[in-house]
Amino acid sequence: MSAASIPTHSAPNTVFDTSPLSSQTPPGNVWERITTWASENKTVVYTIAGVAVVVSGAGVVYYLSDSRKAPGAAVAEGKKRASKKERRKAKKEKEREKGQPEKEANEAVPKKAEEQAPEVRKKTPTVESDPTEDLPQIDESTVETLSEQERKEYSTKLKIAGNTAYGDKRYNEAIDLYGKAILCKPDPIFYSNRAACYNALGDWDKVVEDTTAAIALNSEYVKALNRRANAYEHLEKYSEALLDYTASCIIDGFRNEPSAQSVERLLKKVAEAKGKAILAGKDKKLPSPSFVTNYLQSFRPRPPPDGLEETAELDEESGKGQLKAGLMAMGEKTSEGYDSASTAFDKALELGDLGEHEAFAYNMRGTFRYLRGENADALEDLTQSVTLQPALTQSFIKRASMHLELGNREAAATDFEKAMEQKKEDPDIYYHRAQLHFILGEFAEAAKDYQKSIDLDREFIFSHIQLGVTQYKMGSIASSMATFRRCIKSFDKVPDVYNYYGELLLDQQKYQEAIEKFDTAVEMEKQSKPIGMNVLPLINKALALFQWKQDFQEAEKLCQKALIIDPECDIAVATMAQLLLQQGKVTEALKYFERAAELSRTEGEIVNALSYAEATRTQLEVQEKYPQLASRLHGMGGGLGGPAMR
């Protein structure tokens, strides 16, 4: 699931782990959990306008947006964020790299001089460097008559004259002068400088042509790579631009902040372009049964409306009969059951004659449309539901969750207020409003609402779990642990308590205790739901074994088992991808990342999944095109060290 647009109550039903990729990111989804885990468990961690992670074994670097991480943060452990002055300097350097020619013929590439490209002086007072005197007349025929020393001297004069012409914005003249310099000496700097002229004229194809020639002469020419990347971006060839910026970052050791920011920007563009294509051809279908179950059970269970009970005798081909059939199918908690329920709710409204159950029918159809990612249609259904029956507060709550997913915080808050006007003592209102506060980082307010939900109904387990999680996020570890111990005492037969308690223990690196809790949850799931069991405890155990013992084999087995039970479980797919990536099985990992994109519900979810895939794919391409960089990455991973595997 994407970090940008996931249901507030997506699987799992708690919002334990939050490191959102955007300001509107609801927590508790797969990509937050996987992003957090990935960023904590790579050999070397860089913060480059997001998360940039180096896997030493595979030589793979990939980037993920994280709005709470400062751009240009430390490359190595302990290094502070660049000062404002340094950031301004870096920004100016980026502009020079894209457009300014280089002045010194013996310039070192790509060391310190590359980071401080000299500005071109318009007029040089010395006779020695005056480009207006003694300019040689060079063409393809005359250059053959020159000695090597003459060619070298003439190329330098022509370059200086070209720099002056560029500084005076006489770009076509500069292009001619650099071209003659190239005839004398095919130097990568001359090609790059001529590319700067084409850059100023907006002739992006020519920029690509000349920078490609420069890179052919010097494969680690950072300035040429950045110029070509900029041109590719203008030509909307985002994959090519991403490849060049990534190579530039690796060559520079991730010290160039503007280039690193460009990598993140291009990753998003590439992922968005591919995401739109995937979404356009994607069949709207329900997510995994684990996801659906966890969303539905985030609302307190209620009996069917009067007249729709299991014992009610209704014509199956009537609207009410289909409503009843849908409710019955939901109880199976399987993929087939949820598909049948969705179809039944659609048919119920088609058949009509629903009487007092019409608002409920719109609520249920809107719910399943929402789960399929049909947000606009779902909003219409829920709006119709509250119009017909304002007292059906669940429709306000669900619509609020949708508004929040779409980034409309004010509309979400308004819907909660409207729900309270109808039924102030509805505990679901406080539970779901607490989710909103939690997502926005308003933990104190979230804790108050969770507690209010508990006060109104102590039997709903997720209010207790969420309260414990919120206390943990507030730093009240002792209070959080006490809340979970009380949960276990009060709900000792409910697997979710053990699963989420295990997550807190895992976060504290209490591996043995965490695994025991996950095992307990797994056994309870098997006994209570042998067919549609929740696979999250299996995945959490896999993470624990990896973090504790780096037991890849057993961790993979557990993920594979989860995928056999629930083939469309996005968390299992994403975790498997990360496990494979850790082992250097990059090609296999890519397949799982792409599978994760296929399983995503919304464009934001697809984009986030593709960001992983594209970042990994780009690094493979860099290594194929620039094989010398693979060993450099390996050396960086092995030499710098990093946080311990957890």
Side-chain angles (χ1 to χ4, degrees):
M1 298 294 146
S2 134
S5 49
I6 253 195
T8 307
H9 315 290
S10 62
N13 242 345
T14 182
V15 284
F16 167 58
D17 202 353
T18 57
S19 50
L21 301 185
S22 76
S23 58
Q24 287 83 35
T25 305
N29 61 73
V30 57
W31 289 115
E32 287 177 21
R33 298 178 61 190
I34 297 302
T35 300
T36 301
W37 175 64
S39 65
E40 289 176 350
N41 294 299
K42 295 296 182 280
T43 309
V44 180
V45 178
Y46 301 95
T47 304
I48 306 177
V51 180
V53 183
V54 178
V55 184
S56 61
V60 176
V61 182
Y62 63 96
Y63 308 78
L64 290 167
S65 169
D66 184 339
S67 61
R68 297 187 306 175
K69 301 282 180 76
V75 169
E77 207 171 351
K79 184 177 177 181
K80 294 183 178 178
R81 186 173 186 267
S83 67
K84 187 174 181 181
K85 181 179 179 181
E86 290 170 333
R87 294 198 304 275
R88 281 200 302 267
K89 184 177 179 181
K91 183 177 180 181
K92 289 180 181 178
E93 165 58 18
K94 181 184 178 184
E95 294 170 356
R96 283 197 295 271
E97 284 187 349
K98 289 180 180 177
Q100 288 279 14
E102 296 161 56
K103 191 179 180 190
E104 299 301 326
N106 61 349
E107 177 180 14
V109 178
K111 304 298 183 184
K112 290 289 184 180
E114 185 68 20
E115 297 172 15
Q116 300 176 352
E119 294 185 9
V120 179
R121 295 187 178 94
K122 291 186 178 181
K123 298 292 181 181
T124 306
T126 62
V127 174
E128 179 182 350
S129 60
D130 188 346
T132 62
E133 294 186 6
D134 300 326
L135 275 181
Q137 298 300 312
I138 298 294
D139 57 34
E140 290 184 0
S141 59
T142 59
V143 75
E144 298 293 333
T145 65
L146 301 176
S147 67
E148 184 176 343
Q149 182 61 33
E150 286 174 324
R151 291 185 185 190
K152 183 177 180 181
E153 290 174 358
Y154 288 175
S155 69
T156 299
K157 282 189 175 184
L158 288 162
K159 179 197 170 185
I160 292 171
N163 287 357
T164 300
Y166 179 93
D168 291 337
K169 297 185 179 181
R170 293 179 281 114
Y171 301 122
N172 287 316
E173 183 181 337
I175 287 169
D176 181 63
L177 290 164
Y178 289 133
K180 290 178 179 179
I182 290 168
L183 285 176
C184 293
K185 178 186 176 184
D187 189 292
I189 292 176
F190 302 165
Y191 279 109
S192 183
N193 283 3
R194 190 167 69 178
C197 298
Y198 288 125
N199 185 94
L201 295 171
D203 191 340
W204 307 115
D205 288 316
K206 284 292 188 181
V207 174
V208 170
E209 184 180 324
D210 272 356
T211 49
T212 298
I215 294 163
L217 294 169
N218 181 354
S219 63
E220 296 193 15
Y221 194 171
V222 168
K223 188 165 288 190
L225 281 165
N226 286 341
R227 281 184 181 146
R228 187 170 71 176
N230 178 59
Y232 276 140
E233 191 169 359
H234 278 88
L235 292 168
E236 297 185 1
K237 295 182 177 181
Y238 299 131
S239 294
E240 291 87 341
L242 177 59
L243 179 64
D244 279 351
Y245 275 131
T246 304
S248 168
C249 281
I250 295 170
I251 293 166
D252 254 353
F254 305 97
R255 291 186 296 270
N256 189 317
E257 181 182 330
S259 295
Q261 290 175 334
S262 295
V263 168
E264 192 218 341
R265 184 183 67 255
L266 265 298
L267 259 182
K268 185 178 179 183
K269 281 188 176 181
V270 172
E272 283 179 345
K274 292 190 175 183
K276 288 182 186 297
I278 290 174
L279 198 62
K282 184 180 177 66
D283 292 332
K284 296 293 186 181
K285 64 177 184 178
L286 293 172
S288 73
S290 294
F291 185 101
V292 177
T293 298
N294 279 296
Y295 175 76
L296 294 175
Q297 70 182 18
S298 70
F299 294 88
R300 284 165 169 79
R302 296 178 183 178
D306 292 341
L308 298 179
E309 302 91 344
E310 186 176 351
T311 57
E313 295 182 5
L314 296 168
D315 180 1
E316 288 187 6
E317 293 306 311
S318 68
K320 292 179 182 178
Q322 284 299 306
L323 268 183
K324 174 190 169 185
L327 292 173
M328 296 281 291
M330 282 173 58
E332 297 175 19
K333 297 184 178 180
T334 62
S335 180
E336 294 77 10
Y338 289 133
D339 284 336
S340 296
S342 180
T343 301
F345 295 136
D346 287 344
K347 192 173 181 181
L349 281 161
E350 289 174 11
L351 292 169
D353 194 23
L354 295 165
E356 71 276 19
H357 301 307
E358 187 176 1
F360 178 73
Y362 277 110
N363 175 297
M364 297 312 299
R365 188 176 73 174
T367 298
F368 278 84
R369 281 181 165 180
Y370 169 59
L371 289 166
R372 289 197 300 265
E374 300 169 359
N375 287 351
D377 291 337
L379 273 174
E380 284 186 17
D381 278 351
L382 292 171
T383 298
Q384 183 66 16
S385 177
V386 297
T387 301
L388 290 168
Q389 188 179 337
L392 188 55
T393 55
Q394 192 183 92
S395 295
F396 279 117
I397 295 169
K398 289 177 179 177
R399 194 172 70 172
S401 296
M402 290 193 63
H403 283 312
L404 186 59
E405 177 177 333
L406 295 170
N408 195 338
R409 175 183 175 180
E410 291 183 1
T414 298
D415 270 345
F416 283 124
E417 290 174 5
K418 289 179 178 178
M420 291 181 71
E421 289 172 5
Q422 295 297 323
K423 191 177 179 181
K424 192 173 183 180
E425 299 302 298
D426 183 347
D428 274 347
I429 298 173
Y430 296 96
Y431 174 78
H432 288 271
R433 191 174 69 174
Q435 301 285 73
L436 179 148
H437 288 307
F438 192 106
I439 289 164
L440 299 172
E442 299 164 356
F443 299 125
E445 293 302 312
K448 289 178 184 177
D449 273 348
Y450 287 133
Q451 187 60 59
K452 179 67 173 178
S453 178
I454 292 169
D455 293 340
L456 292 170
D457 176 16
R458 304 193 68 83
E459 300 305 311
F460 187 62
I461 187 173
F462 293 108
S463 294
H464 297 272
I465 290 174
Q466 286 293 151
L467 177 60
V469 168
T470 304
Q471 290 168 334
Y472 191 87
K473 296 298 289 185
M474 294 172 70
S476 302
I477 309 301
S479 297
S480 174
M481 295 295 102
T483 297
F484 270 94
R485 285 192 292 271
R486 287 194 298 272
C487 276
I488 289 177
K489 186 175 181 180
S490 301
F491 304 95
D492 62 325
K493 302 299 182 185
V494 181
D496 299 88
V497 179
Y498 298 93
N499 180 53
Y500 296 121
Y501 188 28
E503 286 194 13
L504 296 186
L505 293 168
L506 180 58
D507 190 68
Q508 298 171 64
Q509 301 182 44
K510 297 179 180 179
Y511 301 113
Q512 186 64 55
E513 293 179 64
I515 288 173
E516 288 173 2
K517 296 295 181 291
F518 296 142
D519 282 338
T520 300
V522 168
E523 289 306 312
M524 287 185 174
E525 287 285 352
K526 287 179 181 177
Q527 293 171 16
S528 61
K529 294 174 283 185
I531 297 178
M533 70 172 285
N534 187 342
V535 297
L536 294 178
L538 287 171
I539 300 166
N540 280 331
K541 183 179 178 181
L543 289 173
L545 286 171
F546 164 71
Q547 294 173 14
W548 185 17
K549 299 180 178 180
Q550 296 185 33
D551 189 342
F552 289 107
Q553 186 175 4
E554 187 59 29
E556 279 190 43
K557 283 182 181 178
L558 288 166
C559 285
Q560 292 287 13
K561 187 175 181 179
L563 286 170
I564 290 171
I565 297 169
D566 188 352
E568 298 193 346
C569 179
D570 49 3
I571 298 179
V573 170
T575 304
M576 192 69 180
Q578 291 290 354
L579 289 170
L580 291 168
L581 195 61
Q582 286 281 354
Q583 299 171 76
K585 300 176 182 178
V586 185
T587 303
E588 293 177 58
L590 271 176
K591 293 177 182 177
Y592 279 92
F593 282 133
E594 289 166 349
R595 175 63 176 153
E598 292 173 6
L599 293 173
S600 299
R601 292 171 51 254
T602 65
E603 184 178 344
E605 296 170 11
I606 292 171
V607 167
N608 202 58
L610 287 175
S611 292
Y612 278 89
E614 290 306 313
T616 308
R617 192 195 325 278
T618 300
Q619 295 313 313
L620 286 174
E621 291 175 1
V622 168
Q623 291 175 68
E624 182 178 342
K625 196 168 183 179
Y626 308 102
Q628 74 275 17
L629 298 184
S631 58
R632 186 175 301 182
L633 274 174
H634 180 82
M636 290 165 57
L640 290 174
M645 292 284 195
R646 288 183 48 201

